[in-house]
């Protein structure tokens, strides 16, 4: 695995280093002087952990995540692109199943970050005949994780995409978790034949499988409250929010999810699906998505 040694950095403000993980999957570790850390696999530029300076891991990773080419890692922050959900391409597109390259790193006072790059290839052009660059920056700033996701059309023809940062947040117990901030938004309920409803409640609670696309819901902050605290999630440019928990039935069919682990996470995702994003030649789109404990 090639890695530009200049990108590894360590100083009084923190460090960025590269390691080999499960099944030889390389990952980058970010550390800050204050004690926050993150682990990002080059496969999928997949953020697997974010631990704040108090040692709390904000992200859930399945104990049965499968580290093999072509299979998305279960948990953390899978990158869904250029397609969210089912469609012409395999579910959630190819970005989460591709090996990205580490392209830039920064270790400065209060900020440690890494930027990952995915470019079109012969493989991607077989299913998505366009030239593109994805630049994905993961940044630790105090006890917050910030992400910047940039898509550039490097070709001579326009293309459309949908996508998401499909984040699995740790919760103490899903049946005592509430998601707040989406009251009044219309949602597509994928558990009720994609019928549309208006969210009437301040709190979204979980008593069975829940899989909803809150249209334009990313215009607000979203809070995930459980018995141990509240995670604040903020967005810019991303349009929609998906809230998902499989509950016991659907979890039973997920071979890469440990027994009972469906109780330990909720997905609150930054999504672009209510409208496709059309990029003209040389045009870019970028969105930010950040989270921290209140
Ligand atoms: O974001 C929610 C969702 O679209 C659900 O419908 C469920 O399929 C989930 O993504 C997980 O998809 P995956 O392909 O990662 O198993």
């Amino acid at each position: 695995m090639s890695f530009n040694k200049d990108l590894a950095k360590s100083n009084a403000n923190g460090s960025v280093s590269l390691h080999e993980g499960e099944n030889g999957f390389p990952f980058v570790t970010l550390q800050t002087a204050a004690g926050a850390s993150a682990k990002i696999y080059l496969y999928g530029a997949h953020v697997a952990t974010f631990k704040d300076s108090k040692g709390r891991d904000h992200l859930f990773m399945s104990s049965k995540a499968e580290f093999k080419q072509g299979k998305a890692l279960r948990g953390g922050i899978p990158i869904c692109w250029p397609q969210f959900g089912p469609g012409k391409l395999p579910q959630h597109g190819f970005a989460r199943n591709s090996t990205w390259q580490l392209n830039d790193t920064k270790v400065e006072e209060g900020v440690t970050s890494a930027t990952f790059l995915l470019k079109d290839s012969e493989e991607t052009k077989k299913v998505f005949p366009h030239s593109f660059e994805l630049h994905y920056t993961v940044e630790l700033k105090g006890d917050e994780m910030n992400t910047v996701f940039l898509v550039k059309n490097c070709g001579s023809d326009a293309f459309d995409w949908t996508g998401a940062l499909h984040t699995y947040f740790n919760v103490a117990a899903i049946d005592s978790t509430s998601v707040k901030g989406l009251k009044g938004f219309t949602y597509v309920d994928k558990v009720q034949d994609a019928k549309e409803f208006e969210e009437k409640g301040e709190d979204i609670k979980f008593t069975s499988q829940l899989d909803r696309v809150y249209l334009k819901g990313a215009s607000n902050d979203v809070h995930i409250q459980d018995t141990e605290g509240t995670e604040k999630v903020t967005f810019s440019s991303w349009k929609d929010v998906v809230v998902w928990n499989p509950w016991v039935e659907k979890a039973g069919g997920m071979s890469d999810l440990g027994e009972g682990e469906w109780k330990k996470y909720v997905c609150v995702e930054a999504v672009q699906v209510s409208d496709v994003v059309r990029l003209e030649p040389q045009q870019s789109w970028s969105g930010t998505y950040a989270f921290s404990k209140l």
Side-chain angles (χ1 to χ4, degrees):
M1 169 233 2
S2 68
F3 171 57
N4 175 347
K5 296 283 182 281
D6 298 341
L7 290 173
K9 293 188 173 92
S10 180
N11 60 46
N13 296 313
S15 67
V16 179
S17 52
L18 189 79
H19 311 269
E20 197 152 288
E22 294 78 348
N23 291 358
F25 277 49
F27 64 89
V28 171
T29 298
L30 307 183
Q31 301 268 357
T32 69
S37 66
K39 178 175 183 180
I40 307 125
Y41 288 96
L42 294 188
Y43 183 69
H46 194 114
V47 179
T49 64
F50 163 48
K51 287 183 182 158
D52 61 30
S53 61
K54 299 179 178 68
R56 298 172 298 189
D57 193 345
H58 297 225
L59 301 177
F60 165 86
M61 272 300 279
S62 168
S63 62
K64 297 180 73 175
E66 295 173 25
F67 289 82
K68 61 182 183 188
Q69 297 297 328
K71 171 79 178 166
L73 301 177
R74 179 70 64 195
I77 309 180
I79 298 175
C80 305
W81 193 86
Q83 173 187 291
F84 178 76
K88 274 194 326 179
L89 301 180
Q91 161 100 330
H92 291 330
F94 52 71
R96 64 179 186 168
N97 299 342
S98 300
T99 296
W100 295 50
Q101 65 186 72
L102 181 61
N103 198 43
D104 193 20
T105 57
K106 185 164 74 173
V107 180
E108 293 172 359
E109 188 173 352
V111 178
T112 297
S113 71
T115 299
F116 301 85
L117 170 64
L118 182 69
K119 292 182 175 181
D120 58 88
S121 65
E122 278 178 34
E123 275 306 296
T124 64
K125 285 199 168 177
K126 287 176 188 165
V127 295
F128 185 72
H130 305 289
S131 295
F132 64 84
E133 286 183 0
L134 303 182
H135 295 255
Y136 181 53
T137 298
V138 179
E139 179 185 83
L140 298 184
K141 201 170 194 175
D143 277 342
E144 182 172 76
M145 174 171 276
N146 297 322
T147 65
V148 181
F149 183 71
L150 182 144
V151 184
K152 181 173 181 182
N153 181 345
C154 301
S156 54
D157 57 336
F159 64 71
D160 295 341
W161 63 269
T162 59
L165 297 180
H166 191 299
T167 310
Y168 290 68
F169 287 98
N170 265 328
V171 295
I174 188 66
D175 57 3
S176 57
T177 296
S178 297
V179 172
K180 301 165 174 292
L182 292 165
K183 181 178 180 182
F185 287 95
T186 298
Y187 63 88
V188 174
D189 192 331
K190 291 169 64 178
V191 177
Q192 296 192 65
D193 302 321
K195 289 191 184 80
E196 292 194 4
F197 302 88
E198 182 187 335
E199 182 55 63
K200 302 280 192 201
E202 291 295 342
D203 293 356
I204 299 166
K205 291 186 179 297
F206 301 82
T207 56
S208 61
Q209 181 187 177
L210 189 144
D211 190 350
R212 300 176 181 173
V213 182
Y214 283 84
L215 304 174
K216 312 227 183 343
S219 53
N220 267 0
D221 294 355
V222 172
H223 289 181
I224 305 164
Q225 188 176 57
D226 71 0
T227 52
E228 291 174 6
T230 300
E231 187 88 36
K232 182 176 104 172
V233 187
T234 60
F235 315 78
S236 77
S237 299
W238 293 102
K239 196 159 281 180
D240 313 307
V241 176
V242 163
V243 181
W244 173 61
N245 180 276
W247 211 254
V248 58
E249 297 81 19
K250 182 152 174 130
M254 295 164 65
S255 60
D256 58 350
L257 189 64
E259 180 67 32
E261 288 184 341
W262 58 272
K263 300 173 190 168
K264 304 298 284 178
Y265 76 84
V266 65
C267 285
V268 174
E269 308 165 30
V271 181
Q272 191 69 43
V273 71
S274 53
D275 299 314
V276 297
V277 179
R278 166 153 299 186
L279 288 182
E280 297 300 333
Q282 306 309 314
Q283 196 181 10
S284 296
W285 176 97
S286 75
T288 66
Y289 169 72
F291 46 92
S292 57
K293 295 284 185 193
L294 285 183

Coordinates of all heavy atoms in Angstrom, one line a residue, residues 26-64:
P26 N -5.8 -0.9 5.4 CA -5.1 0.2 6.0 C -6.0 1.3 6.6 O -7.1 1.5 6.0 CB -4.2 0.8 4.9 CG -4.7 0.2 3.6 CD -5.6 -1.0 4.0
F27 N -5.6 1.8 7.7 CA -6.5 2.9 8.3 C -5.6 4.1 8.7 O -4.4 3.9 9.0 CB -7.4 2.4 9.4 CG -6.7 1.9 10.6 CD1 -6.3 2.8 11.7 CD2 -6.4 0.6 10.7 CE1 -5.7 2.3 12.8 CE2 -5.8 0.1 11.9 CZ -5.4 0.9 12.9
V28 N -6.2 5.3 8.8 CA -5.5 6.5 9.3 C -6.0 6.7 10.7 O -7.2 6.6 11.0 CB -5.8 7.7 8.4 CG1 -5.4 9.0 8.9 CG2 -5.2 7.4 7.0
T29 N -5.1 7.1 11.6 CA -5.6 7.5 12.9 C -5.3 9.0 13.1 O -4.2 9.5 12.8 CB -4.8 6.8 14.0 OG1 -5.1 5.4 13.9 CG2 -5.2 7.2 15.4
L30 N -6.3 9.7 13.5 CA -6.2 11.2 13.9 C -6.2 11.3 15.4 O -6.9 10.6 16.1 CB -7.3 12.0 13.3 CG -7.7 11.9 11.9 CD1 -8.9 12.9 11.6 CD2 -6.5 12.2 11.0
Q31 N -5.3 12.1 15.9 CA -5.2 12.3 17.4 C -5.1 13.9 17.6 O -4.4 14.5 16.8 CB -4.0 11.7 18.0 CG -3.8 10.2 17.8 CD -4.4 9.4 19.0 OE1 -4.9 10.0 19.9 NE2 -4.4 8.1 18.8
T32 N -5.8 14.4 18.7 CA -5.5 15.8 19.0 C -4.8 15.8 20.4 O -4.9 14.8 21.2 CB -6.8 16.6 19.2 OG1 -7.5 16.0 20.3 CG2 -7.7 16.4 17.9
A33 N -4.2 16.9 20.7 CA -3.5 17.0 22.0 C -4.5 16.9 23.1 O -4.1 16.5 24.2 CB -2.8 18.4 22.0
A34 N -5.7 17.3 22.9 CA -6.7 17.2 24.0 C -7.2 15.8 24.2 O -7.9 15.6 25.2 CB -7.9 18.1 23.6
G35 N -6.8 14.9 23.3 CA -7.2 13.5 23.6 C -8.3 12.9 22.7 O -8.7 11.8 22.9
A36 N -8.8 13.7 21.8 CA -9.8 13.2 20.8 C -9.1 12.3 19.8 O -7.9 12.6 19.5 CB -10.6 14.3 20.2
S37 N -9.8 11.4 19.2 CA -9.2 10.5 18.2 C -10.2 10.0 17.2 O -11.4 10.0 17.5 CB -8.4 9.3 18.8 OG -9.4 8.5 19.5
A38 N -9.7 9.6 16.0 CA -10.6 9.0 15.0 C -9.8 8.0 14.2 O -8.6 8.0 14.2 CB -11.2 10.1 14.1
K39 N -10.6 7.0 13.7 CA -10.0 5.9 12.9 C -10.7 5.9 11.6 O -12.0 5.8 11.6 CB -10.1 4.6 13.6 CG -9.6 3.4 12.9 CD -9.8 2.2 13.9 CE -9.2 0.9 13.3 NZ -9.4 -0.2 14.2
I40 N -10.0 6.0 10.5 CA -10.6 6.1 9.1 C -9.9 5.1 8.2 O -8.7 5.2 7.9 CB -10.5 7.5 8.5 CG1 -11.0 8.6 9.5 CG2 -11.2 7.6 7.2 CD1 -10.0 9.7 9.8
Y41 N -10.7 4.1 7.7 CA -10.1 3.1 6.8 C -10.0 3.8 5.4 O -10.9 4.6 5.0 CB -11.0 1.9 6.7 CG -10.9 1.0 7.9 CD1 -11.8 1.2 9.0 CD2 -9.9 0.1 8.1 CE1 -11.7 0.4 10.1 CE2 -9.8 -0.6 9.3 CZ -10.7 -0.5 10.3 OH -10.6 -1.3 11.4
L42 N -8.9 3.5 4.7 CA -8.8 4.0 3.3 C -9.9 3.3 2.4 O -10.4 3.9 1.5 CB -7.5 3.6 2.7 CG -6.3 4.3 3.3 CD1 -5.0 4.1 2.5 CD2 -6.5 5.8 3.5
Y43 N -10.4 2.1 2.8 CA -11.5 1.5 2.1 C -12.8 2.3 2.4 O -13.2 2.3 3.6 CB -11.6 0.0 2.6 CG -12.7 -0.8 1.9 CD1 -12.6 -1.2 0.6 CD2 -13.8 -1.2 2.6 CE1 -13.5 -1.9 0.0 CE2 -14.8 -1.9 2.0 CZ -14.7 -2.3 0.7 OH -15.7 -3.1 0.1
G44 N -13.3 2.9 1.4 CA -14.5 3.7 1.6 C -14.3 5.0 2.3 O -15.3 5.7 2.6
A45 N -13.0 5.4 2.6 CA -12.7 6.6 3.4 C -13.7 6.5 4.6 O -14.3 7.5 5.0 CB -12.9 7.9 2.6
H46 N -13.7 5.3 5.2 CA -14.8 4.9 6.1 C -14.4 5.3 7.6 O -13.5 4.7 8.1 CB -15.0 3.4 6.0 CG -16.3 3.0 6.7 ND1 -17.4 2.5 6.0 CD2 -16.7 3.0 8.0 CE1 -18.3 2.2 6.9 NE2 -17.9 2.5 8.1
V47 N -15.0 6.4 8.1 CA -14.8 6.7 9.5 C -15.4 5.6 10.4 O -16.6 5.3 10.3 CB -15.4 8.0 9.9 CG1 -15.2 8.4 11.4 CG2 -14.9 9.2 9.0
A48 N -14.5 4.9 11.2 CA -15.0 3.8 12.0 C -15.2 4.3 13.4 O -16.1 3.8 14.1 CB -14.0 2.7 11.9
T49 N -14.4 5.2 13.9 CA -14.5 5.6 15.3 C -14.3 7.1 15.4 O -13.5 7.6 14.7 CB -13.5 4.9 16.3 OG1 -12.2 5.3 16.0 CG2 -13.7 3.4 16.3
F50 N -15.0 7.7 16.4 CA -14.6 9.1 16.8 C -14.8 9.1 18.3 O -15.9 9.0 18.8 CB -15.6 10.1 16.1 CG -15.5 11.5 16.9 CD1 -14.3 12.1 17.2 CD2 -16.7 12.1 17.2 CE1 -14.3 13.3 17.9 CE2 -16.7 13.3 17.9 CZ -15.5 13.9 18.2
K51 N -13.6 9.2 19.0 CA -13.7 9.2 20.5 C -13.3 10.7 20.9 O -12.3 11.2 20.4 CB -12.6 8.2 21.0 CG -13.1 6.8 20.9 CD -12.1 5.8 21.5 CE -12.6 4.4 21.3 NZ -11.6 3.4 21.4
D52 N -14.1 11.3 21.7 CA -13.9 12.6 22.2 C -12.9 12.6 23.3 O -12.4 11.5 23.8 CB -15.2 13.4 22.5 CG -15.9 12.7 23.7 OD1 -15.3 12.1 24.6 OD2 -17.2 12.8 23.7
S53 N -12.5 13.8 23.8 CA -11.5 13.9 24.9 C -11.9 13.2 26.2 O -11.0 12.9 27.0 CB -11.1 15.3 25.1 OG -12.2 16.0 25.6
K54 N -13.2 12.9 26.3 CA -13.7 12.2 27.5 C -13.7 10.7 27.2 O -14.3 9.9 28.0 CB -15.0 12.7 27.9 CG -15.1 14.2 28.3 CD -16.5 14.7 28.7 CE -16.4 16.2 29.1 NZ -16.1 17.0 27.9
G55 N -13.3 10.3 26.0 CA -13.2 8.8 25.7 C -14.5 8.2 25.2 O -14.6 7.0 25.0
R56 N -15.5 9.1 25.0 CA -16.8 8.6 24.5 C -16.7 8.3 23.0 O -16.4 9.2 22.2 CB -17.9 9.6 24.8 CG -18.1 9.9 26.3 CD -19.0 11.1 26.5 NE -18.5 12.3 25.9 CZ -19.1 13.5 26.2 NH1 -20.2 13.6 26.9 NH2 -18.6 14.6 25.6
D57 N -17.1 7.1 22.6 CA -17.1 6.8 21.1 C -18.5 7.2 20.6 O -19.5 6.5 20.9 CB -16.8 5.4 20.8 CG -16.5 5.2 19.3 OD1 -16.8 6.1 18.5 OD2 -15.9 4.2 18.9
H58 N -18.5 8.2 19.7 CA -19.8 8.7 19.2 C -20.4 7.7 18.2 O -21.6 7.8 17.8 CB -19.7 10.1 18.6 CG -19.2 11.1 19.6 ND1 -19.8 12.3 19.6 CD2 -18.3 11.1 20.5 CE1 -19.2 13.0 20.6 NE2 -18.3 12.3 21.1
L59 N -19.6 6.8 17.6 CA -20.0 6.0 16.5 C -20.1 4.6 16.8 O -19.2 4.0 17.6 CB -19.0 6.3 15.3 CG -18.9 7.7 14.8 CD1 -17.9 7.8 13.7 CD2 -20.3 8.2 14.3
F60 N -21.1 3.9 16.2 CA -21.2 2.4 16.4 C -20.6 1.7 15.3 O -20.7 2.1 14.1 CB -22.7 2.1 16.4 CG -23.0 0.7 16.2 CD1 -23.1 -0.2 17.3 CD2 -23.3 0.1 15.0 CE1 -23.3 -1.6 17.2 CE2 -23.5 -1.2 14.8 CZ -23.5 -2.1 15.9
M61 N -19.8 0.7 15.6 CA -19.3 -0.2 14.6 C -19.7 -1.6 15.0 O -19.6 -2.1 16.1 CB -17.8 -0.2 14.5 CG -17.2 0.8 13.6 SD -17.7 0.7 11.8 CE -16.6 -0.6 11.2
S62 N -20.3 -2.4 14.0 CA -20.7 -3.7 14.3 C -19.5 -4.6 14.6 O -18.5 -4.6 14.0 CB -21.4 -4.3 13.0 OG -21.6 -5.7 13.2
S63 N -19.8 -5.5 15.6 CA -18.7 -6.5 16.0 C -18.5 -7.5 14.9 O -17.5 -8.2 14.9 CB -19.1 -7.2 17.3 OG -20.4 -8.0 17.0
K64 N -19.4 -7.5 13.9 CA -19.3 -8.5 12.8 C -19.1 -7.9 11.5 O -19.4 -8.4 10.4 CB -20.6 -9.4 12.8 CG -20.7 -10.3 14.1 CD -21.9 -11.1 14.1 CE -21.8 -12.4 13.2 NZ -23.0 -13.2 13.4

